[in-house]
């Protein structure tokens, strides 16, 4: 494509994206389609000859854009937010144009140093000490996997990097600890790293779904006595189901006493630390060995961008560094060769969109939006608390409200299995009713075994009007389903 053709096509793409963002609210969040509907509109075989860009962009506008689930829509309140704002989108485009492979300084000097600076900016925005270094990965799943491998690497006498886990059976079977509310990605990391699902011990939580430090200490003691080798604990700041916050300071004290690696999963909640008045919720994470925060969740960055912070970068480098001759270069000065700190050789220039976004919004701009989301969630929580038939199912430390509807006739009888099933079915029907509206999209979880509806606020395009509309639809659905 010639530069002239590219300019013309690029202008059309800019207009397409800008137009999409303008008309978002007019679109149904969930497209009214069935599996296979899109595939049937696409050619089964690749084209044998070049096709005109008009045809390609026309098919994009006709087939693809209308038939996605619109995560950008302000009525999308399911899961956690993943919202791309303007400066981040522009940064993504620029990074694609540069096509910089950020594997070592020599072949990506500016890209490497922008990543170093942007990681430092984020660390400062979160109020963490400057002992932490870090880098960008794609998702929290990979950030946590790398952390688990690093934790495994420093187990005395194991040498899993070179010998594998089967190489030193006399050391004992590894055991990691996380709560019953911890994200499934940590269990997947255990699968990939050789710890195995049997090596994951789920620790009991308290009445508001936080890991119990006493149960953790007891589990570690019991496992040591049984011949297991405890090596890692995962604390979560903002669990997926309820956004509960594990008592990280107490867990960190146990890890120091037991000489265990502490990994903090703050993939969602970590963004809130940009507001200084919220940092009390993060007490103890400064003692972690590794931390993950996903800017593509609540910092308005295009997917994907996960920040992995680590206290001892040399551990990650020792665990992963493997430099073939063709990557050996002589250089003066100090810079990261990022491929040595993880499993990827090729790495995208994710830092550019984050660097642009932080400059565009500024620290105060980011904090103001996080504060507003938390304020809106508290207001919604107040409406739920004041309603005679809706129940709030968990505290609201961040911007997620967990709720359910219990009809007056069934209140107080939830311990009866048949009544619980009836209430669960009712709330499932309420959720389906709201989602079929096309105006609001919500998700669910189970808390304490009870079917729970989640309302997540975190889109900078959301206003209280969207929250009020969500609440009105929930009440309407409850009345309709009960009737």
């Amino acid at each position: 494509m010639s530069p002239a053709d590219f300019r013309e096509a690029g202008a059309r793409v800019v207009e397409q994206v800008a137009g999409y963002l303008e008309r978002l609210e007019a679109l149904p969040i969930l497209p009214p389609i069935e599996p296979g509907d899109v595939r049937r509109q696409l050619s089964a075989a690749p084209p044998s000859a070049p096709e005109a860009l008009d045809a390609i962009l026309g098919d994009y506008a006709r087939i693809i854009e209308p038939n996605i689930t619109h995560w950008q829509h302000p009525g999308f309140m399911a899961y956690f937010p993943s919202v791309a704002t303007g400066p981040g989108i522009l940064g993504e485009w620029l990074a694609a144009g540069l096509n910089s492979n950020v594997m070592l300084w020599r072949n990506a000097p500016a890209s490497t140093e922008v990543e170093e600076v942007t990681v430092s900016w984020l660390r400062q925005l979160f109020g963490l000490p400057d002992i932490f270094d870090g880098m960008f990965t794609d998702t929290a799943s990979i950030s946590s996997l790398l952390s688990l491998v690093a934790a495994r690497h420093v187990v005395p006498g194991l040498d899993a990097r070179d010998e594998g886990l089967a190489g030193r059976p006399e050391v004992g079977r590894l055991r990691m600890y996380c709560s019953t509310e911890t994200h499934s990605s940590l269990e997947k990391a255990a699968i990939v790293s050789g710890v195995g699902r049997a090596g994951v011990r789920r620790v009991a939580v308290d009445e508001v779904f936080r890991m119990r430090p006493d149960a953790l200490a007891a589990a570690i003691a019991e496992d040591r006595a049984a011949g297991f080798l405890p090596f890692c604990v995962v604390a979560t700041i903002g669990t997926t189901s309820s956004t509960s916050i594990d008592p990280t300071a107490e867990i960190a004290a146990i890890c120091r006493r037991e000489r265990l690696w502490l990994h903090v999963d703050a993939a969602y909640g970590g963004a809130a630390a940009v507001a200084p008045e919220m940092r009390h919720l993060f007490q103890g994470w400064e003692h972690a060995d590794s931390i993950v925060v996903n800017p593509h969740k609540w910092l308005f960055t295009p997917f994907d961008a996960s920040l992995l912070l680590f206290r001892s970068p040399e551990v990650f480098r020792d665990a992963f560094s493997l430099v073939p001759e063709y990557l050996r270069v002589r250089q003066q000065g100090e810079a990261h060769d990022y491929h040595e700190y993880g499993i990827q050789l090729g790495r995208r220039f994710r830092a550019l969109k984050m660097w642009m976004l932080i400059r565009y919004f500024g620290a105060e701009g980011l904090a103001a939006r996080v504060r507003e989301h938390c304020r809106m969630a508290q207001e919604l929580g107040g409406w739920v608390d004041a309603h005679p038939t809706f129940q709030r199912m968990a505290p609201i430390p961040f911007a997620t409200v967990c709720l359910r509807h219990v009809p007056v006739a069934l209140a107080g009888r939830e311990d009866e299995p048949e009544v619980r099933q009836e209430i669960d079915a009712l709330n499932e029907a309420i959720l389906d009713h709201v989602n079929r509206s096309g105006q609001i999209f919500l998700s669910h979880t189970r808390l304490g075994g009870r079917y729970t509806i989640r309302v997540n606020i975190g889109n900078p395009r959301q206003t209280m009007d969207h929250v009020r509309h969500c609440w009105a639809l929930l009440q309407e659905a409850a009345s309709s389903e009960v009737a």
Side-chain angles (χ1 to χ4, degrees), residues 251-270:
I251 293 170
I254 293 172
C255 289
R256 288 196 300 273
R257 185 181 71 230
E258 298 287 343
R259 299 182 181 277
L260 306 180
W261 184 282
L262 174 59
H263 176 62
V264 172
D265 179 358
Y268 162 67

Side-chain angles (χ1 to χ4, degrees), residues 191-314:
I191 295 170
V192 176
S193 63
V195 174
R197 296 184 69 191
V200 179
R201 180 152 182 176
R202 295 275 186 169
V203 178
V205 296
D206 62 17
E207 69 281 357
V208 290
F209 313 109
R210 302 173 304 187
M211 182 192 289
R212 286 173 41 201
D214 62 322
L216 171 63
I220 293 169
E222 181 180 308
D223 284 347
R224 287 198 191 281
F228 285 96
L229 181 60
F231 80 108
C232 179
V233 178
V234 179
T236 305
I237 299 179
T239 58
T240 302
S241 287
S242 70
T243 69
S244 62
I245 300 170
D246 287 337
T248 309
E250 295 176 63
I251 293 170
I254 293 172
C255 289
R256 288 196 300 273
R257 185 181 71 230
E258 298 287 343
R259 299 182 181 277
L260 306 180
W261 184 282
L262 174 59
H263 176 62
V264 172
D265 179 358
Y268 162 67
V274 300
E277 70 275 15
M278 298 191 69
R279 290 180 190 160
H280 67 281
L281 299 173
F282 297 83
Q283 185 177 359
W285 77 332
E286 69 276 9
H287 300 300
D289 296 286
S290 53
I291 301 171
V292 56
V293 180
N294 280 358
H296 67 232
K297 282 191 167 70
W298 199 8
L299 282 181
F300 328 130
T301 307
F303 189 84
D304 53 41
S306 179
L307 174 68
L308 171 60
L309 295 170
F310 30 71
R311 174 176 294 276
S312 301
E314 66 277 5

